[in-house]
């Protein structure tokens, strides 16, 4: 096959006959069964990889498609050009009239997986399909392959009109149909460089809008300042009186909430029924406690949370902690007449109205 011609050099692959170098000791070829030894030999190697890596596919079916003359395969070779061994590939069927290509099999030999070769092959296949002026990929992916295809830009949300592919594509039980659009202008064999260039462009644009490097004159001399926002640069940095006042009032509200919660806690600690809750349950004495109570809490922990100043951002969070503490007590001591059980009700009766009053 010679679908790829010498101008491939500009997309990062150096053409040598119909082989494209993709790094040290790696090259790619587009194959199709034309009966020649040159095509058949690597296709046999690729067929063996598909059979091994796709054990659920009947071997005879793999043979039929790989050697079918309507199917083509992009194969990745390891070794010197012309002498390498196939280490992975993708078999596909272009359906030019319907503007899509169907991916039949895709695999990388076990010892070479998760090294980026699956992506490399897919990118070259995309470039190849783009060259054939086909707009879409379609494939049936099984559950294991969905993640890989998703990383290659495939999606389960189909936008290709059904009439375009229905009856033209092989249906697999349990497979999920996925699609990928091939953009005519994306250089798929050079995506790393392209993304790098895009990032640099965005950062350049951001830099041109940033004012962080602007140095303002100081405030020595001149008219007396009455407002700190008149200091050159303060306003330009985005600070306004409203923002500062809002932050200050939020901070004040938080301080006030913590003070009120602390006051409730202090009053609770002075009651007669608080004794089971002042410190964590002794799990050495009650080893089964950890199994029964998955989320323990006690007043010592609640006090630390209040003192942290930023844990109880609302009274509802405090309410839930108190409720959980009492629920834990009743779960561990489920008999209503039990002394521990009784204290849970007393704590709730004491604390809840006070929380409501905040
Ligand atoms: N599920 C989820 N993610 C997967 C994945 C899977 N089965 N296989 C690979 N990925 C991820 C990789 O972690 C990597 O992610 P990253 O870019 O964030 O690091 C990305 O896909 C590409 O990995 P890459 O190293 O380029 O792929 P690969 O060389 O391992 O080849 C397969 C991927 C699927 C071809 C290969 O694992 C394989 O041959 N599997 C068995 C056959 C198979 O299931 N084929 C697909 C159906 S036809």
């Amino acid at each position: 096959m010679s679908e790829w011609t010498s101008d491939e050099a500009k997309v990062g692959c150096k053409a040598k006959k119909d082989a494209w170098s993709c790094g040290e000791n790696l090259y790619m070829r587009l194959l199709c069964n034309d009966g020649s030894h040159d095509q058949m030999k690597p296709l046999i190697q690729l067929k063996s990889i598909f059979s091994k890596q796709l054990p659920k596919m009947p071997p005879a079916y793999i043979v039929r498609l790989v050697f079918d003359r309507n199917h083509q395969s992009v194969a990745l070779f390891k070794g010197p050009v012309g002498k390498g061994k196939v280490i992975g590939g993708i078999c596909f069927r272009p359906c030019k009239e319907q503007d899509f290509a169907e991916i039949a099999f895709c695999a990388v030999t076990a010892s070479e997986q998760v090294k980026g070769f699956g992506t490399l092959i897919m990118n070259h296949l995309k470039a190849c399909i783009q060259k054939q002026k086909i707009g879409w990929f379609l494939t049936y992916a099984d559950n294991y392959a969905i993640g890989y295809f998703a990383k290659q830009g495939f999606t389960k949300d189909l936008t290709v009109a059904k009439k375009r592919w229905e009856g033209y594509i092989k249906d697999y039980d349990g497979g999920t149909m996925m699609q990928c659009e091939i953009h005519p202008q994306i250089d798929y064999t050079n995506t790393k460089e392209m993304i790098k260039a895009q990032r640099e462009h965005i950062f350049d644009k951001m830099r041109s809008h940033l004012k962080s490097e602007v140095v303002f004159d100081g405030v020595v001399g001149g008219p007396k300042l009455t407002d700190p926002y008149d200091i050159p640069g303060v306003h330009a940095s985005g600070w306004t009186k409203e923002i500062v006042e809002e932050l200050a009032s939020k901070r004040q509200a938080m301080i006030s909430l913590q003070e009120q919660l602390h006051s409730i806690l202090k009053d609770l600690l002075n009651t007669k029924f608080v004794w089971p809750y002042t410190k964590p349950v002794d799990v050495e004495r009650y080893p089964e406690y950890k199994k029964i109570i998955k989320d323990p809490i006690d007043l010592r922990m609640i006090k630390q949370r209040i003192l942290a100043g930023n844990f109880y951002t609302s009274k509802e969070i405090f309410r839930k902690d108190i409720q959980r503490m009492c629920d834990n007590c009743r779960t561990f001591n489920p008999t209503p007449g039990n002394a521990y059980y009784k204290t849970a009700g007393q704590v709730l009766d004491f604390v809840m109205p006070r929380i409501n009053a905040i």
Side-chain angles (χ1 to χ4, degrees), residues 49-50 53-54 57 89 103-110 112-121 139-149 151-152:
I49 293 174
F50 288 150
Q53 295 305 318
L54 300 163
M57 287 283 172
I103 293 182
F105 314 117
C106 159
V108 170
T109 195
E112 302 287 359
Q113 285 179 11
V114 202
K115 293 181 183 172
F117 293 144
T119 305
L120 185 70
I121 299 166
T139 191
Y140 267 100
D142 68 13
N143 282 342
Y144 296 107
I146 288 175
Y148 162 75
F149 280 113
K151 292 231 162 148
Q152 308 306 321

Side-chain angles (χ1 to χ4, degrees), residues 104-321:
F105 314 117
C106 159
V108 170
T109 195
S111 59
E112 302 287 359
Q113 285 179 11
V114 202
K115 293 181 183 172
F117 293 144
T119 305
L120 185 70
I121 299 166
M122 183 61 83
N123 282 340
H124 277 78
L125 175 59
K126 285 177 182 169
C128 166
I129 286 300
Q130 190 184 48
K131 208 164 193 93
Q132 297 185 21
K133 300 212 173 356
I134 291 174
W136 299 87
F137 273 130
L138 292 173
T139 191
Y140 267 100
D142 68 13
N143 282 342
Y144 296 107
I146 288 175
Y148 162 75
F149 280 113
K151 292 231 162 148
Q152 308 306 321
F154 285 66
T155 156
K156 290 191 248 182
D157 303 322
L158 299 185
T159 53
V160 182
K162 206 171 176 184
K163 64 173 191 263
R164 201 187 298 166
W165 52 267
E166 203 173 34
Y168 290 89
I169 188 166
K170 292 172 282 294
D171 220 334
Y172 293 99
D173 278 348
T176 304
M177 174 92 125
M178 295 182 86
Q179 72 172 41
C180 176
E181 187 173 0
I182 306 297
H183 195 281
Q185 277 157 359
I186 292 179
D187 181 352
Y188 288 104
T189 53
N190 211 9
T191 45
K192 261 191 194 162
E193 285 303 313
M194 191 180 69
I195 290 168
K196 198 172 151 211
Q198 282 175 345
R199 281 171 70 100
E200 270 165 20
H201 180 75
I202 290 169
F203 284 137
D204 276 352
K205 278 262 173 253
M206 282 164 66
R207 242 175 261 130
S208 70
H209 283 80
L210 280 178
K211 296 205 171 72
S212 60
E213 282 158 28
V214 179
V215 179
F216 293 88
D217 292 336
V219 287
V220 274
K224 206 174 167 199
L225 282 171
T226 51
D227 189 339
Y229 296 93
D230 291 340
I231 298 171
V234 172
H235 199 71
S237 68
W239 288 104
T240 62
K241 223 178 227 170
E242 291 71 34
I243 294 175
V244 173
E245 278 168 9
E246 197 187 322
L247 285 175
S249 92
K250 273 190 187 158
R251 199 174 132 72
Q252 197 45 51
M254 268 298 269
I255 292 170
S256 160
L257 177 65
Q258 308 312 308
E259 281 170 0
Q260 293 180 73
L261 298 181
H262 199 234
S263 159
I264 294 176
L265 181 70
K266 246 168 70 188
D267 292 348
L268 178 63
L269 286 168
N270 282 329
T271 63
K272 285 186 191 148
F273 42 80
V274 77
W275 53 271
Y277 309 100
T278 52
K279 55 183 190 304
V281 170
D282 184 352
V283 288
E284 301 243 316
R285 202 163 153 206
Y286 302 104
E288 70 281 20
Y289 191 79
K290 273 204 279 192
K291 276 190 211 143
I292 298 169
I293 303 300
K294 297 292 170 212
D295 205 356
I297 189 161
D298 63 285
L299 292 178
R300 196 187 283 174
M301 187 190 284
I302 289 177
K303 186 175 178 182
Q304 281 166 3
R305 291 180 167 183
I306 295 173
L307 294 178
N310 57 2
F311 186 88
Y312 293 119
T313 50
S314 74
K315 65 179 184 179
E316 294 315 318
I317 302 174
F318 179 75
R319 188 199 300 276
K320 277 189 189 152
D321 273 359

